[in-house]
Amino acid sequence: MKLPGLWLCLSFGCAASLSPSCLSAQFQRPGDFILGGLFPFGRDTVNLTTRSQPTLLLCERLFTDGLIWALGMRFAIDEINNSSSLLPGITLGYDMYDTCFEALVALQPSLLFLARNGTTGIGVLCNYTEYQPRVTAVIGPPQSSLCLLTAKLFSSFLIPQVSFGASSETLSNTELYPSFYRTVPSDKNLVEAVVLLLSQFGWNWVATVGTDDEYGRGAQALFLSMVGNDNICIAFEGLIPADLAEPGAQKQLEDTVRFINSTKVNVVVLFAFKLPAKALLEHSIRMGLGKKVWIGTEAWMQSDIAASTPNIQSIGTVLGFVMRTGTVPGFQEYVAELFSSVQQEEFCRRSRELSGLRNAQVLDTHCQQCDHVTLGDIWPVLRVATVQPVHVAVYSVAHALHRALGCTSKGCPKTPIRSWQLLHFMNTLRFEVNGQSFRFDQSHSTNTGYKLIFWAWRDGSLIYQPVGEYNQSLYIHKSQIQFHTEDQKEPASECFRRCQPGQFRRIKGFNLCCYDCTDCPENTFWSSTDSTSCSPCPQQQWAPARSTRCHPRTDRFLFWDEPLAVALVTLMALSTVLSCGTALLFLQHLQSPLVQVAGGGRSLFALLSLALLSLSCCLYVGRPSHGLCTLQQLSCALGLNGCFSTLVPKALEVTLVTEFPGRARRLLRWVTHGRAWLAVAASLLTQASLCLCHLRLGPDVLLADHQSLPREVLLVCGTQSWAAFALLHGLNSCQALACFLCTFMVQAPGRSYNVARGITFATLIYFVVWIFFVVVFATLRMVLRAVAQICTILATTLGILGSYFVPKCYILVFRPELNTRDYFQSPEEEPQEDSV
């Protein structure tokens, strides 16, 4: 396969009669090992899709950066060839070509580099282990878009390619590009620095613009993927054409400026090369965009934009990152000497001799547009150009070749070295260049960090002032930056106002950075300035509205000293005293007909049970515990059972006398005298058994309620099993129901005392009170739950006392004349003495 060559479009200002081959030969030199060079010198003006001869290149203009990079490679190779310690006895040659910023153009010299050494053809082989290409390694090109094409090509042959400017993160994939290296950091490091810069100044509402090429799209995609983690929102993201000659390029630039203006942002991040960046800034000035903070990258920060753009100071503040590189000693002198020798006839004679040695098929296209370049044309760019990456790229290959050959201080053996043999040493070798140490990392990149540059204007002149540096972390000298604002302080670039402590961000609309500030509700607290919600307090803590911290909760229960508890205790004492007083009065008149009809000794037991039932209210006051919660229901059930167990025999007695007078004499002995006490004992034993079942099935337990009260922990006794609760109080309810059914229809004969009426009202009051209690008790979760239980107990006690015992006390105290056997005995009943 024959490969047509390319003619390097360069001239150093030889005499007018000197042909272009005079200079082009200066970029091709033979040697023991050849390094290929790909540099962007000019741009093609002919559409590649319409050409009849794709190899015909017409260079419209000279790109001085490409020329300086090519000279930097020549300078490094000349240094190495003159060195006695690096590759002694070995001569490096070079073969440099122009890429014209076109992928197809870059592909042609790349194929030439892959040609078998000494020929212009590429052998089709199954195994390229012993294959010796034309060049040992390739330096360049600096564009990511071109490297993505050439890196795949050279990686298939495992030829080392070292770029001095391609920063695309895609090229960090060593599996796809195993032989690609670069002496610059990847875009990922640059984007991390930009994000840290935005974060330190608090700019979280920004626009980002990139060129529509591999560099711009890749860097912008990385930027968009990282800003979300730092709460930075993008108001606008856009692409501008990389080629300004494209149809519609001007309209696209104008639309971009309008969109940036509509977002009201004060910060614009620009990932672009020099010409597209300059075009965007010119449109911003012409369309009156207003002053912004422009954050740039090395692709345009140190170019000639400021010098060649009218009214450039009106764009605002320009900050940007450039690689932290060192100087290359002697390079400027080398270039000056080279341009001085170009004007001599001896230089041109040697060039003609070298030109005659080249294969005519390789270099057969001449470029006439790039003649008459002088030292004065490139000197301004030479002073700010970054040559060190090119210098380091050449030295990296030289050091790897030095190790692969096994060179010593005395010399290097003349042994053939294949390109792929250099890769191991390039991956592991640490090398020094001008006293500075370098090494390729796992992604085959070198990362020397960045400098933060500020465009400072001094008497109308631009100064690239360093104001910070980035190397894994960012440090900024903020006092050295004079922003375009009136106070020269950094402008705000936010879609929202700063929330006050105790407020969180409530997102509004579709932009995550546009929000209102809302107060944190109760029991939540504000945790950070960038929080979009309030954090809930732990269970044992509380917080008021708009709080920045939580406070410990206090325990809430029915305290002894609070007014409600004092009132209930007073009422409990009254109920107890009334029960005990009634018992003493009954004891004093125990043998009287009234007390005998009321139950005699059993009435004293009932009153004692009511007194104990009243005293059980103390279990509901004060700090509850598991033991107290267990005793509460048990004491209530046993106290009521003690009372109802004495009323049941009396109710049955009244029923037998009034409803079954014929059988009364035979059955009354089972509900009177000593056998009535057996009924009381049986009832108490049954209730005790139910208490044990209640303990087994699920007694009341202490619960800490954190939801009912906003600032306190409510300590309550919770019902663990409603089935156990119903079983526990079921016997008392059944006894009360039996008493009510036996007595509610009984009528007293004549002017006799109606004993049944007291029992009826007592049980009726019990049912009414407990129906309300169960309904309220099941729904209350506050301290009032304990109050409801106390009130239920006291209402039941006082109801029984008031309906059954107090009327009898009234007769004993105020109407003693009624305390006769005739008044307290029905006509059908034979008088009997109810023993105690």
Side-chain angles (χ1 to χ4, degrees):
M1 178 172 58
K2 297 296 183 179
L3 301 177
L6 302 177
W7 194 268
L8 187 61
C9 176
L10 288 173
S11 175
F12 289 103
C14 290
S17 59
L18 188 63
S19 68
S21 62
C22 170
L23 248 298
S24 62
Q26 296 299 314
F27 285 88
Q28 291 179 329
R29 177 185 295 176
D32 298 319
F33 296 94
I34 303 297
L35 301 185
L38 297 173
F39 299 94
F41 298 106
R43 181 173 294 279
D44 190 7
T45 60
V46 181
N47 192 326
L48 291 174
T49 60
T50 62
R51 289 201 204 136
S52 57
Q53 298 181 1
T55 59
L56 179 61
L57 304 180
L58 299 176
C59 297
E60 180 184 33
R61 58 175 294 172
L62 174 70
F63 282 77
T64 53
D65 286 341
L67 174 60
I68 294 174
W69 286 331
L71 294 176
M73 178 176 174
R74 273 197 52 174
F75 175 66
I77 291 178
D78 287 345
E79 276 190 335
I80 295 169
N81 288 338
N82 295 326
S83 173
S84 59
S85 58
L86 183 60
L87 293 176
I90 297 295
T91 301
L92 294 181
Y94 47 85
D95 201 354
M96 304 183 195
Y97 291 93
D98 182 14
T99 64
C100 280
F101 294 90
E102 293 288 353
L104 181 59
V105 178
L107 185 61
Q108 292 174 337
S110 299
L111 292 174
L112 180 62
F113 292 157
L114 293 176
R116 189 185 296 273
N117 192 18
T119 70
T120 57
I122 300 177
V124 180
L125 306 174
C126 293
N127 188 347
Y128 286 89
T129 303
E130 300 299 326
Y131 184 80
Q132 186 67 54
R134 178 184 178 90
V135 299
T136 303
V138 178
I139 307 299
Q143 292 84 18
S144 296
S145 57
L146 299 185
C147 283
L148 288 172
L149 175 66
T150 59
K152 288 184 178 180
L153 192 62
F154 294 129
S155 291
S156 61
F157 286 81
L158 293 182
I159 296 178
Q161 178 185 3
V162 187
S163 175
F164 48 88
S167 57
S168 173
E169 179 63 18
T170 306
L171 292 166
S172 297
N173 189 337
T174 56
E175 293 184 359
L176 292 177
Y177 311 101
S179 66
F180 178 81
Y181 300 84
R182 55 185 165 199
T183 54
V184 294
S186 72
D187 287 336
K188 182 179 180 181
N189 301 96
L190 173 65
V191 170
E192 288 175 351
V194 173
V195 172
L196 286 176
L197 175 66
L198 296 175
S199 298
Q200 287 205 20
F201 282 107
W203 295 325
N204 53 15
W205 184 243
V206 301
T208 173
V209 180
T211 48
D212 193 7
D213 56 13
E214 180 61 31
Y215 170 73
R217 291 190 301 268
Q220 193 176 65
L222 279 172
F223 179 71
L224 295 175
S225 66
M226 290 185 183
V227 292
N229 298 329
D230 290 78
N231 294 319
I232 299 173
C233 290
I234 305 301
F236 168 74
E237 55 177 290
L239 295 174
I240 57 177
D243 188 356
L244 300 178
E246 292 180 358
Q250 299 302 314
K251 183 179 184 303
Q252 191 172 350
L253 288 168
E254 294 174 356
D255 291 342
T256 301
V257 174
R258 289 193 198 93
F259 281 124
I260 293 174
N261 187 52
S262 65
T263 59
K264 307 300 182 183
V265 298
N266 288 325
V267 179
V268 182
V269 182
L270 180 56
F271 299 103
F273 288 110
K274 178 176 68 175
L275 292 181
K278 180 181 179 181
L280 180 64
L281 294 177
E282 288 176 343
H283 278 76
S284 301
I285 297 171
R286 182 174 58 82
M287 298 175 65
L289 177 62
K291 292 185 176 182
K292 308 287 183 184
V293 177
W294 293 85
I295 298 178
T297 62
E298 189 164 14
W300 64 272
M301 274 296 297
Q302 291 183 301
S303 66
D304 59 350
I305 289 180
S308 59
T309 305
N311 200 24
I312 188 64
Q313 297 185 37
S314 65
I315 66 172
T317 304
V318 179
L319 292 169
F321 291 95
V322 297
M323 283 184 298
R324 189 169 57 185
T325 59
T327 59
V328 179
F331 177 66
Q332 292 187 11
E333 294 79 1
Y334 174 83
V335 175
E337 182 181 353
L338 181 61
F339 270 84
S340 176
S341 63
V342 163
Q343 301 176 3
Q344 302 174 9
E345 179 61 27
E346 177 63 21
F347 178 87
C348 292
R349 184 186 63 80
R350 291 176 54 198
S351 296
R352 285 193 292 269
E353 292 176 356
L354 292 173
S355 177
L357 299 176
R358 291 194 304 267
N359 190 333
Q361 292 181 335
V362 174
L363 296 172
D364 59 356
T365 302
H366 294 241
C367 174
Q368 305 291 338
Q369 282 73 23
C370 303
D371 294 339
H372 308 296
V373 178
T374 66
L375 181 61
D377 294 330
I378 69 167
W379 189 256
V381 182
L382 183 63
R383 299 177 61 183
V384 297
T386 304
V387 184
Q388 190 189 41
V390 184
H391 200 248
V392 173
V394 176
Y395 268 88
S396 68
V397 176
H399 279 279
L401 186 60
H402 184 93
R403 291 290 298 273
L405 288 170
C407 297
T408 64
S409 58
K410 297 180 180 180
C412 298
K414 299 289 185 176
T415 57
I417 290 295
R418 305 291 183 261
S419 298
W420 59 267
Q421 293 177 290
L422 301 181
L423 299 181
H424 169 72
F425 299 101
M426 297 188 70
N427 291 337
T428 59
L429 180 64
R430 183 181 294 276
F431 58 95
E432 289 190 2
V433 181
N434 295 326
Q436 187 175 357
S437 180
F438 296 91
R439 184 176 184 175
F440 293 111
D441 57 23
Q442 292 182 349
S443 61
H444 293 179
S445 306
T446 59
N447 185 10
T448 57
Y450 292 94
K451 291 188 298 184
L452 179 62
I453 299 297
F454 165 60
W455 279 13
W457 298 92
R458 301 288 188 269
D459 299 327
S461 300
L462 174 63
I463 299 175
Y464 299 111
Q465 180 178 342
V467 292
E469 57 184 20
Y470 171 77
N471 192 0
Q472 307 302 324
S473 60
L474 179 63
Y475 179 74
I476 306 175
H477 302 280
K478 293 185 178 180
S479 60
Q480 299 181 10
I481 305 176
Q482 297 178 353
F483 289 92
H484 58 269
T485 54
E486 292 184 1
D487 57 359
Q488 295 185 341
K489 300 295 183 181
E490 65 268 17
S493 188
E494 302 171 320
C495 178
F496 54 88
R497 61 184 178 89
R498 282 288 180 187
C499 292
Q500 298 298 318
Q503 295 181 322
F504 70 97
R505 303 182 307 177
R506 186 182 297 278
I507 305 298
K508 61 179 181 180
F510 298 99
N511 269 306
L512 297 179
C513 281
C514 290
Y515 54 80
D516 293 322
C517 294
T518 306
D519 293 346
C520 291
E522 287 188 354
N523 290 329
T524 62
F525 71 100
W526 172 78
S527 58
S528 67
T529 55
D530 296 322
S531 178
T532 56
S533 63
C534 297
S535 302
C537 291
Q539 279 193 343
Q540 297 298 330
Q541 296 180 336
W542 71 280
R546 197 172 177 175
S547 177
T548 58
R549 65 186 183 92
C550 295
H551 308 278
R553 285 177 181 260
T554 57
D555 293 337
R556 181 68 176 101
F557 47 86
L558 188 60
F559 292 93
W560 285 97
D561 56 349
E562 59 182 293
L564 183 59
V566 172
L568 292 175
V569 170
T570 302
L571 189 60
M572 176 198 68
L574 178 63
S575 176
T576 304
V577 169
L578 185 60
S579 298
C580 294
T582 303
L584 291 176
L585 185 61
F586 272 43
L587 180 62
Q588 184 179 1
H589 300 86
L590 185 61
Q591 300 301 325
S592 66
L594 185 151
V595 176
Q596 291 297 317
V597 169
R602 295 193 304 277
S603 63
L604 295 179
F605 182 79
L607 289 169
L608 179 61
S609 299
L610 292 177
L612 294 176
L613 181 62
S614 298
L615 291 175
S616 69
C617 293
C618 294
L619 299 175
Y620 299 91
V621 185
R623 180 182 292 275
S625 63
H626 288 287
L628 290 177
C629 289
T630 303
L631 290 175
Q632 285 176 359
Q633 298 299 328
L634 299 181
S635 61
C636 178
L638 287 172
L640 281 174
N641 187 264
C643 178
F644 285 137
S645 64
T646 62
L647 295 180
V648 169
K650 176 55 63 177
L652 292 174
E653 178 184 351
V654 172
T655 302
L656 289 174
V657 171
T658 57
E659 300 297 332
F660 306 99
R663 301 181 180 181
R665 291 183 178 275
R666 182 165 51 86
L667 296 175
L668 281 177
R669 66 174 182 269
W670 295 101
V671 292
T672 56
H673 304 290
R675 293 182 181 182
W677 283 105
L678 291 176
V680 172
S683 177
L684 288 172
L685 288 175
T686 303
Q687 186 63 54
S689 300
L690 294 176
C691 289
L692 293 176
C693 293
H694 178 265
L695 292 174
R696 190 63 178 269
L697 292 176
D700 287 4
V701 293
L702 178 63
L703 298 177
D705 184 0
H706 298 86
Q707 282 73 41
S708 298
L709 299 176
R711 303 183 181 184
E712 298 167 313
V713 180
L714 179 61
L715 300 180
V716 294
C717 295
T719 302
Q720 190 174 2
S721 172
W722 285 101
F725 179 89
L727 184 65
L728 179 66
H729 294 280
L731 179 61
N732 292 330
S733 299
C734 291
Q735 289 178 333
L737 180 61
C739 292
F740 178 79
L741 293 176
C742 290
T743 59
F744 83 100
M745 293 294 291
V746 174
Q747 297 293 328
R751 294 177 58 84
S752 299
Y753 180 80
N754 192 344
V755 180
R757 187 182 302 167
I759 297 176
T760 300
F761 280 107
T763 54
L764 185 60
I765 292 173
Y766 165 80
F767 282 121
V768 172
V769 170
W770 276 80
I771 287 172
F772 279 102
F773 163 71
V774 170
V775 174
V776 173
F777 184 74
T779 56
L780 284 179
R781 297 289 294 173
M782 306 289 288
V783 174
L784 295 177
R785 188 174 191 184
V787 174
Q789 290 178 293
I790 296 175
C791 291
T792 299
I793 293 173
L794 294 179
T796 303
T797 302
L798 292 174
I800 295 174
L801 286 173
S803 60
Y804 188 75
F805 291 102
V806 170
K808 297 176 176 57
C809 292
Y810 175 81
I811 294 174
L812 289 175
V813 175
F814 299 103
R815 301 292 300 273
E817 69 276 8
L818 296 178
N819 190 4
T820 62
R821 188 177 296 274
D822 292 336
Y823 186 70
F824 288 98
Q825 181 180 5
S826 64
E828 294 82 7
E829 183 180 2
E830 181 180 351
Q832 295 181 18
E833 184 177 341
D834 195 359
S835 59
V836 178

